[in-house]
Amino acid sequence: MPRPQPAELWAELNPRQQIYLTAIYNADQNAEANQKGGAFDWGHGPPASEWRWQTFCLKAPKEWVGRTAIQYELDAKGEHDQGAGSSLAALRRRALIEVTEDQVQTVLGWVPRVRVKLTTLGRATARAGLGHTAPKSPPRGLLSDWLWSNLVRLYRAGPDGMLSESPRGTPYEERAPSQKARLFLERMDRKEGRFIEQRRVKNGEPFESRLNPGQMITPTEPRVFLTDAGRAHYEHHLRCYAELYPDIEAPVPEQLPEDAHLGLESHKVHKPRGLLTRPPYLLLVALVSADVRNHLWIRKEFHRYGSHDSVMADALAALPAGITHPHQVTRSATAPGKLLTFRGGPLAAETVVSPWLDPWRRTREGDLTILHLTDAGRAHYAANLTAYRGLYDDVDAPEAPEEWTALSGN
C-alpha cells in the first residue's frame, strides 16, 4: 500500500481529532520558538527529543494543578477533557503523535502526567491541514533571516556605518543592529572572522575642557561598521540569501565576485559513500582529540583534588582516553550509536567505569561509561581525513598520528 500523504491523513481525521492535532502542533511550534530564542544565551540546550515532549494534562483537580497550554486551547475551541483518551489514541494509531505517561511532583504530591509529542508525519499533516509551510533552514554557514536583515542594513549604510544606538522613532530599515545581533555578528570563532566591528569616531570639532582649561577634547560617537569579512560574506552569498529570504530587499552591487555563489545549489553537500554524517563525525573528531592527548575527564578531576591514592591513580591510568558524556559534544542522542554500529566495524567502544572509581555515582543514575576509539576508528579517521576536511571544512580536525596510517593500510 502506498504511504498516505499528509493532506490525505488530515482529511481522514474528524473535526475533533483535527482540533487536538492543531493544539498539539501549536504547542510544538511554541516550544521550537522558545528553543531558538534560547540560542542567544550561548548555551547548549536539551536535544529536540526532549523538549518536543509537551504536557497534555495532569490527572488531578484543575483547581489545584491548573491547565496546560494544550488544554487551554482545547477549552477555547469548545472541546473538553471528555473523550481525550480516544482522540489521542486515534492520532497515535495513525503515527501522528507519541504518548507517554509518568508522574510529576505537585502541591498534591506525585500525580500522573500525560505527555505527547508530534512525529515528523504528524507535523507535516498539521501543516498540510492548516496551510502552513515548513520554514527553510539556512545551510550551514549562512545567517538566519533576522541576522541577514541586520547585515543588509549595515551594507546599505556603506563605509560610514551606523550609530550603535538608533534614536527613538528611527524607521526599522535604518536602525542599527540590536545588542543581541551585534553579539552574533561579532563572533570571533567564525571561520571567516567577525562580520562587524564597533568603534568610536570623531563627531565634531575639538573644544576646550571646562574642568581643565587648556585641555582639548575631541567629541566622538559610537558607531558600528561592516568589516571586510562581513562585506565579502554579503557579496559571496547574496544570491543564496535571495532564494532563502526573498522578502528581504538587499542592495545588489554593480559587480559581484567571480567566485560568488549562484544560489543555494552551491551549498549542497554530496557525502561520499562510507563517510559519516556531520553529528557522528563531530563526535569522532572529539574522540580523536581525546585519544591523541590521552585525555579523560575523570582522571583530570582526580588529579585536580590532589588525591594520593596510588591504587586509584593506577586504575584510572588503565582506563582508555575518551569521553564520558558524548551527547554533550554534538547535542545528538544518536551520534554515539552511529560510531558503535558503523558498517565497516565499530569506530568506538564503551568501557564501564567501576563504581569505586566514580565518586559522582550518587548524583547520577546508572553506570558511568567511557566512549573511546577503536583501532578501526583510528584507521577510518586516518584514511578519510582528507575527504572529511573537504566535506566539513569548518571543523577543526586534528592530524592523525603516523602510526594510525599503518592501521588503515595506506
Side-chain angles (χ1 to χ4, degrees):
M1 292 291 292
R3 181 179 178 179
Q5 295 300 306
E8 298 172 352
L9 286 172
W10 176 267
E12 291 177 2
L13 302 177
N14 63 38
R16 179 182 175 88
Q17 293 162 356
Q18 290 177 353
I19 291 175
Y20 269 65
L21 184 62
T22 300
I24 297 171
Y25 169 77
N26 289 337
D28 175 87
Q29 295 301 287
N30 288 336
E32 183 172 329
N34 291 336
Q35 288 298 316
K36 289 181 178 179
F40 298 124
D41 298 333
W42 301 91
H44 294 292
S49 58
E50 294 181 14
W51 59 257
R52 284 203 183 276
W53 280 102
Q54 304 299 312
T55 301
F56 180 82
C57 70
L58 300 179
K59 295 184 176 181
K62 307 285 186 300
E63 297 79 12
W64 289 95
V65 298
R67 286 177 174 268
T68 65
I70 296 177
Q71 286 178 309
Y72 271 116
E73 182 170 342
L74 293 175
D75 190 59
K77 294 179 179 179
E79 295 290 344
H80 300 286
D81 290 347
Q82 292 84 356
S86 60
S87 297
L88 294 182
L91 299 177
R92 183 166 56 178
R93 281 196 304 272
R94 293 174 170 85
L96 303 180
I97 65 171
E98 297 178 26
V99 183
T100 186
E101 185 170 332
D102 57 11
Q103 291 195 334
V104 64
Q105 181 74 24
T106 69
V107 294
L108 300 178
W110 291 94
V111 300
R113 174 179 64 172
V114 177
R115 295 196 299 162
V116 294
K117 182 175 74 169
L118 272 181
T119 63
T120 302
L121 179 61
R123 196 171 296 106
T125 300
R127 284 179 174 144
L130 300 173
H132 294 179
T133 56
K136 279 187 177 181
S137 297
R140 186 168 297 275
L142 296 188
L143 303 173
S144 66
D145 55 347
W146 167 65
L147 288 175
W148 171 241
S149 66
N150 281 275
L151 201 70
V152 166
R153 295 201 298 273
L154 276 173
Y155 188 88
R156 187 182 291 119
D160 293 334
M162 307 175 74
L163 282 171
S164 296
E165 300 296 335
S166 301
R168 184 182 296 275
T170 302
Y172 177 78
E173 61 275 7
E174 299 176 12
R175 293 180 193 169
S178 66
Q179 181 64 28
K180 284 183 177 180
R182 294 200 295 269
L183 285 173
F184 275 88
L185 295 174
E186 276 190 315
R187 284 176 58 178
M188 290 293 293
D189 60 347
R190 187 180 286 109
K191 183 179 180 180
E192 302 159 272
R194 61 173 66 188
F195 286 167
I196 66 170
E197 62 179 354
Q198 302 180 74
R199 62 177 185 268
R200 300 189 71 89
V201 298
K202 180 180 176 181
N203 179 30
E205 296 299 324
F207 60 91
E208 186 175 2
S209 171
R210 294 181 180 179
L211 297 178
N212 299 305
Q215 179 184 359
M216 301 302 292
I217 298 177
T218 301
T220 61
E221 63 182 5
R223 299 186 74 85
V224 56
F225 301 87
L226 203 62
T227 63
D228 290 341
R231 189 173 295 104
H233 179 89
Y234 178 98
E235 296 176 353
H236 190 79
H237 298 287
L238 180 61
R239 298 190 186 103
C240 306
Y241 284 115
E243 287 186 37
L244 270 176
Y245 316 123
D247 296 335
I248 300 177
E249 296 183 7
V252 181
E254 294 182 2
Q255 185 175 0
L256 291 173
E258 292 183 1
D259 61 343
H261 284 184
L262 300 177
L264 292 176
E265 182 68 25
S266 303
H267 286 269
K268 288 187 177 179
V269 176
H270 302 285
K271 182 178 71 64
R273 187 177 182 84
L275 296 188
L276 297 166
T277 57
R278 187 179 185 85
Y281 172 64
L282 290 176
L283 182 56
L284 178 67
V285 169
L287 290 175
V288 168
S289 178
D291 194 85
V292 169
R293 295 181 295 121
N294 193 27
H295 178 267
L296 182 63
W297 174 72
I298 57 176
R299 285 191 211 143
K300 180 181 177 182
E301 289 296 296
F302 173 79
H303 294 296
R304 176 184 174 189
Y305 290 108
S307 175
H308 300 289
D309 188 334
S310 59
V311 175
M312 180 176 286
D314 291 342
L316 286 171
L319 291 174
I323 299 174
T324 52
H325 298 86
H327 64 280
Q328 295 180 359
V329 176
T330 64
R331 299 169 62 184
S332 169
T334 61
K338 298 293 184 182
L339 301 184
L340 293 169
T341 60
F342 190 67
R343 182 177 299 177
L347 305 182
E350 288 183 314
T351 295
V352 178
V353 178
S354 298
W356 68 281
L357 290 175
D358 178 15
W360 304 275
R361 63 185 179 277
R362 295 181 180 177
T363 60
R364 187 195 62 256
E365 294 183 1
D367 294 327
L368 181 66
T369 60
I370 302 170
L371 187 70
H372 54 90
L373 282 179
T374 61
D375 281 343
R378 297 181 182 95
H380 176 87
Y381 183 83
N384 299 287
L385 180 56
T386 301
Y388 275 125
R389 283 177 169 171
L391 189 61
Y392 309 114
D393 59 354
D394 60 318
V395 178
D396 186 13
E399 292 288 345
E402 293 183 3
E403 56 268 25
W404 291 13
T405 304
L407 293 173
S408 66
N410 295 334

